[in-house]
């Protein structure tokens, strides 16, 4: 990107700004697919103003790009569920997910949410949808795995030397999970800081309210494949999975799962 557009701050950060802008459009498309045009317009406004997204769209880092790829993967997955005979959606999904994995390791948590959703559809007694057993889905994910093989050598090397990296303090920004980890993350997504001065009632109110909103909107979905559940799992599973991992090793920082928080403005818009 720098070879094409130069190394000024504007040039370097413009990649994230463009990715963040495209993510707004993709989020609107997701909202339109799940709800209606009016929700899509409000979702676009909320996403464009979402503090964490705005911040990451100004940084010369990978997080805005990762969010764009994963929002795109979620969108095409919704379209494939509705038209499973159109295999091109699975090919686009494979491209988006491979690009996301090459952008950041923790994109695998979004894939976990997608797989979990398809497993729920398969096991749900009122749905029994067999998308997860479809040959095209397994071919799609095999393509993702094969495309990611070259980078696995770097991952193995990283894990092999992780103890040395940790010994010199190079992962000092990573934290272990605790009682305040998840509510702190929610507050940081909306305010970019932890509300340490708030009383406990106020501190917990906003995260709990968001959980209620996500659950309520999801419960109202009467569509055959419950696509709103996909967005709910995309929003919740990555944060919860990383939190559970962080109970055992230092692994948590909210920007690593900022892509999942992109679902919150969509639920608020709904």
């Amino acid at each position: 990107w720098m070879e094409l557009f130069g190394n000024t701050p504007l040039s370097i950060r413009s990649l994230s700004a463009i990715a963040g802008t495209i993510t707004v459009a993709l989020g609107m498309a997701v909202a339109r697919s799940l709800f209606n045009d009016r929700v899509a317009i409000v979702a676009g406004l909320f996403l464009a103003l979402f503090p964490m997204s705005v911040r990451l769209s100004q940084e010369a880092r990978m997080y805005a790009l990762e969010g764009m790829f994963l929002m795109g993967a979620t969108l095409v997955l919704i379209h494939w569920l509705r038209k499973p005979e159109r295999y091109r959606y699975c090919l686009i999904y494979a491209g988006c997910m491979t690009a996301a994995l090459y952008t950041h390791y923790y994109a695998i948590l979004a894939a976990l949410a997608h797989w979990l959703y398809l497993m729920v559809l398969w096991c749900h007694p009122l749905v029994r949808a067999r998308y997860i057993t479809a040959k095209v889905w397994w071919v799609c994910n095999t393509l993702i795995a094969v495309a990611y093989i070259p980078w696995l050598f770097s991952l193995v090397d990283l894990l092999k030397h992780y103890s040395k990296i940790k010994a010199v303090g190079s992962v000092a920004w990573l934290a272990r999970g605790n009682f305040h980890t998840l509510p702190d993350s929610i507050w940081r997504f909306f305010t970019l800081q932890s509300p340490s001065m708030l009383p406990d009632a106020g501190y917990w109110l906003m995260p709990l309210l968001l959980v209620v909103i996500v659950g309520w909107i999801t419960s109202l979905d009467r569509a055959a494949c419950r696509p709103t559940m996909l967005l709910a799992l995309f929003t919740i599973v990555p944060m919860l999975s990383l939190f559970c991992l962080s109970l055992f090793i230092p692994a948590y920082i909210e920007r690593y799962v900022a892509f999942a928080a992109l679902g919150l403005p969509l639920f608020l818009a709904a």
Side-chain angles (χ1 to χ4, degrees):
W1 187 266
M2 290 166 64
E3 287 177 357
L4 289 173
F5 300 107
N7 59 0
T8 65
L10 176 62
S11 300
I12 297 170
R13 295 167 188 261
S14 61
L15 176 59
S16 293
I18 291 169
T21 304
I22 294 173
T23 301
V24 172
L26 292 171
M28 292 178 69
V30 169
R32 186 174 184 273
S33 297
L34 298 181
F35 306 110
N36 55 47
D37 290 344
R38 185 168 59 175
V39 173
I41 293 171
V42 179
L45 176 64
F46 284 0
L47 274 172
L49 299 175
F50 190 44
M52 180 58 77
S53 183
V54 172
R55 175 182 175 175
L56 297 181
S57 295
Q58 295 173 349
E59 295 185 353
R61 286 175 168 177
M62 76 293 288
Y63 304 110
L65 199 63
E66 180 190 22
M68 180 189 73
F69 288 134
L70 292 176
M71 187 65 78
T74 303
L75 176 62
V76 295
L77 183 56
I78 292 170
H79 284 297
W80 178 65
L81 293 170
R82 291 176 175 167
K83 297 179 179 178
E85 72 280 0
R86 297 193 176 180
Y87 296 159
R88 68 173 178 269
Y89 289 131
C90 278
L91 290 175
I92 298 172
Y93 176 87
C96 288
M97 190 55 67
T98 301
L101 286 167
Y102 268 98
T103 304
H104 199 269
Y105 290 123
Y106 285 5
I108 193 66
L109 299 177
L112 174 64
H114 294 159
W115 274 86
L116 183 59
Y117 168 70
L118 295 182
M119 288 180 66
V120 170
L121 290 186
W122 186 37
C123 298
H124 196 293
L126 299 179
V127 181
R128 296 295 187 186
R130 297 185 175 273
Y131 296 105
I132 199 168
T133 61
K135 185 184 295 184
V136 64
W137 175 249
W138 283 91
V139 169
C140 165
N141 283 272
T142 300
L143 290 174
I144 295 170
V146 170
Y148 196 61
I149 286 174
W151 192 255
L152 288 179
F153 294 106
S154 292
L155 177 59
V156 170
D157 185 63
L158 174 69
L159 295 175
K160 188 186 300 182
H161 297 93
Y162 185 78
S163 58
K164 295 180 181 178
I165 296 171
K166 186 178 178 181
V168 298
S170 294
V171 291
W173 67 88
L174 297 176
R176 284 184 176 271
N178 58 54
F179 187 64
H180 296 283
T181 295
L182 291 178
D184 259 16
S185 295
I186 300 298
W187 276 105
R188 288 177 186 276
F189 291 143
F190 284 92
T191 67
L192 304 182
Q193 58 187 347
S194 177
S196 55
M197 303 301 291
L198 277 180
D200 286 346
Y203 176 79
W204 285 96
L205 180 60
M206 198 258 284
L208 290 175
L209 181 60
L210 286 172
V211 170
V212 170
I213 289 172
V214 171
W216 177 51
I217 296 296
T218 304
S219 69
L220 294 176
D221 191 353
R222 294 293 181 267
C225 291
R226 310 293 198 277
T228 310
M229 188 194 305
L230 170 59
L231 183 61
L233 292 174
F234 175 79
T235 304
I236 294 171
V237 168
M239 293 188 218
L240 199 56
S241 301
L242 187 58
F243 169 72
C244 291
L245 178 64
S246 70
L247 295 175
F248 301 96
I249 60 171
Y252 197 93
I253 190 165
E254 66 277 348
R255 66 173 179 264
Y256 283 4
V257 286
F259 65 83
L262 295 172
L264 294 174
L266 273 61
F267 279 107
L268 290 174

